[in-house]
Amino acid sequence: MGSVRAQDLPPLPEAPGVYLWKRGEEVLYVGKAKSLRARVRSYFHAEGKARRIAEEATGLDFIATRDEVEALLLEANLIKAHRPPYNVLLKDDKHYPFLKLTHEPFPTLLVVRRVEEDGAKYYGPFPEAGVLRRIKTLIDRLFPLRKNSGYPMKRRRYPCLNYSMGRCLAPCVGLADPEAYREVVRQVEAVLEGRVDGLLQELEAKMREAARRLEFERAAEIRDQMEALKAFFSTNQQAFDPEMGDLDFLGMARSGALAVVQLYQVRSGRILGRISRVVEKEEATEEEILWAFLRDHYLEASPLPPLILLPFPLEDLESLAELLRRRAGRKVELRVPKKGEKARLLELQARVSLRKNQRLVGKTLEVLVDELPEPGLAVGRTYRDSPGIDGVVYVETDGTVRVGERIPVRITRAETYDLFGVQA
């Protein structure tokens, strides 16, 4: 069969691992398997894409692993390294930002775009840079982490203005008590992990204790800290469902070769924002696209929610669930929504979209037209400079636009989904 025959394959173990179909030195496809022998041999009896891969390949490499979790990690790394043409590669016009709490005796909080294996704690990705900036500003104002002494920390001769303002404990000049600094770091971690209610209870107890000791200035500082946290995490400016708790829920839309996966992050019942990823691959199944998103996103995302809701069932989720359990230190459940959950999620999502879109009325975005499903309606992708919108949108047009054309679209009204305006 083609350039590679089953009898030409190297001896394959009945063990988990990763296999690489190759054409010369080019990697055509990277896959993982519970049993390398069974999975690879199935290509010689398959149809469609699997059959074409085997027909085009001139060789096969494989790497056996200790378990399926190790195979999943190795598969992800090899796909990133080789970008094989038959694998699903998600497009992304931006790297969503993370907050990084550095790994050193006196940590600092940084905004970064890449997750590294450096012992630091990463929080994100943040769907909207504005949310990240507001959280970073809040933490800088309320918690006296060091800010101006670089990374790694550099010694200074004199403390900066933040120390005089009470916004830094000045470890760079040796003034910070290590235990007090660790307590500040613990409180920052609580905020970034969404454990705000517990932190508020703790701060209230400290405020009462300070007042009992007649330390009224310290009690007032803690009171102001609590009020700022309550104001930031209040529910009156956000779509909110307190029974939702912490979860991620995913949706997918597809039109021809173009598909978009969207993830909404819900923390303490509030939608923080959404992450959109686009793929354009005619022969890719919806299952392959969703798997690619889950693999790419959750190998970096932190902290992980206890529940991830999927738009449809997927097979062989055990390895991903186990990987997430190891990363989170607790169980992470992956499933489709139960009866009643989906309606509540859609209602919450609609309220978020309506509020977001109301802020965009009157603005103009640039859209690349991908499809014209019916007269007067275009499906397209927004550009990086489009205000507050990413991913796929539906555009009402005057009927004269063509596929491949880049058009300016003026947002004339707000909807609970991304349908905008008319061609400007």
Side-chain angles (χ1 to χ4, degrees), residues 138-172:
L138 177 80
I139 290 173
D140 286 345
R141 182 162 59 89
L142 298 184
F143 301 98
L145 292 180
R146 64 181 186 87
K147 300 170 179 66
N148 296 327
S149 46
Y151 171 63
M153 187 182 78
K154 298 178 178 61
R155 299 287 297 182
R156 299 168 63 107
R157 294 183 61 186
Y158 305 104
C160 68
L161 184 60
N162 283 308
Y163 175 73
S164 303
M165 298 170 62
R167 294 185 178 181
C168 180
L169 296 180
C172 59

Side-chain angles (χ1 to χ4, degrees), residues 184-243:
V184 172
V185 170
R186 190 186 62 78
Q187 292 177 345
V188 170
E189 290 173 343
V191 172
L192 293 175
E193 293 170 8
R195 295 183 281 111
V196 179
D197 293 339
L199 178 59
L200 287 171
Q201 293 175 5
E202 177 187 320
L203 290 173
E204 183 174 3
K206 290 183 177 181
M207 179 185 69
R208 294 184 183 279
E209 177 62 20
R212 188 186 65 80
R213 295 196 304 264
L214 305 183
E215 297 174 358
F216 298 117
E217 185 174 344
R218 174 60 181 156
E221 290 176 358
I222 298 175
R223 179 204 61 204
D224 293 344
Q225 193 177 28
M226 291 173 59
E227 289 179 353
L229 285 170
K230 289 177 180 177
F232 185 87
F233 290 100
S234 66
T235 63
N236 56 358
Q237 296 299 320
Q238 306 175 56
F240 178 65
D241 186 338
E243 295 184 8

